[in-house]
Amino acid sequence: MANLSMFGIWNQNPARHSPVEDAQGILCGTMIAALGLYILAKIGLVTSGMAGLAFVLHYWSGWSFGLLFFLLNLPFYLLSIKRVGWDFTLKTFLAVGLTSFLVEIENRFLHIESIHPIWGAIMAGLLLGFGLLALYRHRASLGGIGILAVFVQDRFHIPAGLVQLAFDLIVMALAFTVVSPTVVLYSFIGAVVLNLFVLINHRSDRYIALR
């Protein structure tokens, strides 16, 4: 461990990460999250958060999901800078950019011929959960409505959880306009798995969590 610390791979302070630790954490987190999003895209499902809205717009317009996900997150970085600072914002910008890119190139390396929608929803929810957890532990996220939710809570005293829930309900309602009710049900199952996984495995007093 001492040699690894000397080369900057590990930080001697266990409460902080070295740049190398942050880099591998963000890379691994985005790769896992991108795989979850790729599975959702292959079986035509949506999810919660800004990724869910990007899916709805993708199915409606035919535009690239990765591009939509990247663009939809742009307005929230200003709030992120004000709320949690430059370090978190820059890492999140990098994570969103990498995830958007990886989702777009995933089919060059992976081909999924068949997967049951329920199983796909569950697996995608878990993969997204693992990816988010890795990012949270390196003070990054996949951006999105969580940043706005915290801002609204600070400004208008509306609980951030309620803001996030309201947004997710709107996304699921919009999903009915582009996919079947059965697909929305499968998508809801995946979103529940994702949120339960993060709820059980993430401690907000230990790591920043904005999604």
Side-chain angles (χ1 to χ4, degrees), residues 37 40-42 44-46 50-69 72 103-104 178-179:
L37 292 172
L40 290 176
K42 291 298 290 184
L45 303 186
V46 301
M50 196 55 64
L53 181 58
F55 272 123
V56 170
L57 293 177
H58 165 66
Y59 297 143
W60 177 72
S61 68
W63 286 22
S64 159
F65 166 81
L67 177 62
L68 287 168
F69 182 57
L72 287 172
V103 172
E104 292 303 308
V178 290
V179 296

Side-chain angles (χ1 to χ4, degrees), residues 136-175:
Y136 291 164
R137 293 191 174 187
H138 291 272
R139 292 191 173 273
S141 78
L142 289 181
I145 197 65
I147 299 171
L148 177 62
V150 173
F151 175 80
V152 170
Q153 177 175 273
D154 291 345
R155 188 72 177 271
F156 302 104
H157 307 293
I158 301 174
L162 289 181
V163 177
Q164 180 78 55
L165 176 62
F167 181 84
D168 288 345
L169 290 175
I170 291 172
V171 169
M172 290 297 170
L174 290 173

Side-chain angles (χ1 to χ4, degrees), residues 12-198:
Q12 291 183 336
N13 181 356
R16 299 182 63 86
H17 293 113
S18 70
V20 175
E21 289 174 312
D22 280 338
Q24 67 81 33
I26 291 173
L27 177 60
C28 292
T30 55
M31 290 183 70
I32 295 171
L35 178 58
L37 292 172
Y38 175 72
I39 290 175
L40 290 176
K42 291 298 290 184
I43 55 181
L45 303 186
V46 301
T47 186
S48 59
M50 196 55 64
L53 181 58
F55 272 123
V56 170
L57 293 177
H58 165 66
Y59 297 143
W60 177 72
S61 68
W63 286 22
S64 159
F65 166 81
L67 177 62
L68 287 168
F69 182 57
F70 181 78
L71 293 177
L72 287 172
N73 274 291
L74 289 178
F76 297 97
Y77 295 124
L78 292 176
L79 290 177
S80 178
I81 293 170
K82 183 181 297 185
R83 180 66 178 79
V84 288
W86 277 100
D87 182 64
F88 175 85
T89 303
L90 290 175
K91 289 179 182 178
T92 295
F93 179 81
L94 177 61
V96 171
L98 277 173
T99 301
S100 301
F101 173 72
L102 290 171
V103 172
E104 292 303 308
I105 67 168
E106 197 86 53
N107 59 4
R108 299 184 182 182
F109 308 100
L110 176 66
H111 297 280
I112 298 176
E113 294 184 359
S114 177
I115 182 171
H116 193 282
I118 293 181
W119 187 247
I122 293 172
M123 292 303 299
L126 290 174
L127 287 167
L128 281 168
F130 273 108
L132 285 170
L133 198 62
L135 293 174
Y136 291 164
R137 293 191 174 187
H138 291 272
R139 292 191 173 273
S141 78
L142 289 181
I145 197 65
I147 299 171
L148 177 62
V150 173
F151 175 80
V152 170
Q153 177 175 273
D154 291 345
R155 188 72 177 271
F156 302 104
H157 307 293
I158 301 174
L162 289 181
V163 177
Q164 180 78 55
L165 176 62
F167 181 84
D168 288 345
L169 290 175
I170 291 172
V171 169
M172 290 297 170
L174 290 173
F176 280 105
T177 66
V178 290
V179 296
S180 70
T182 303
V183 170
V184 175
L185 175 60
Y186 294 152
S187 301
F188 178 76
I189 292 172
V192 170
V193 170
L194 163 60
N195 285 286
L196 281 177
F197 179 87
V198 173

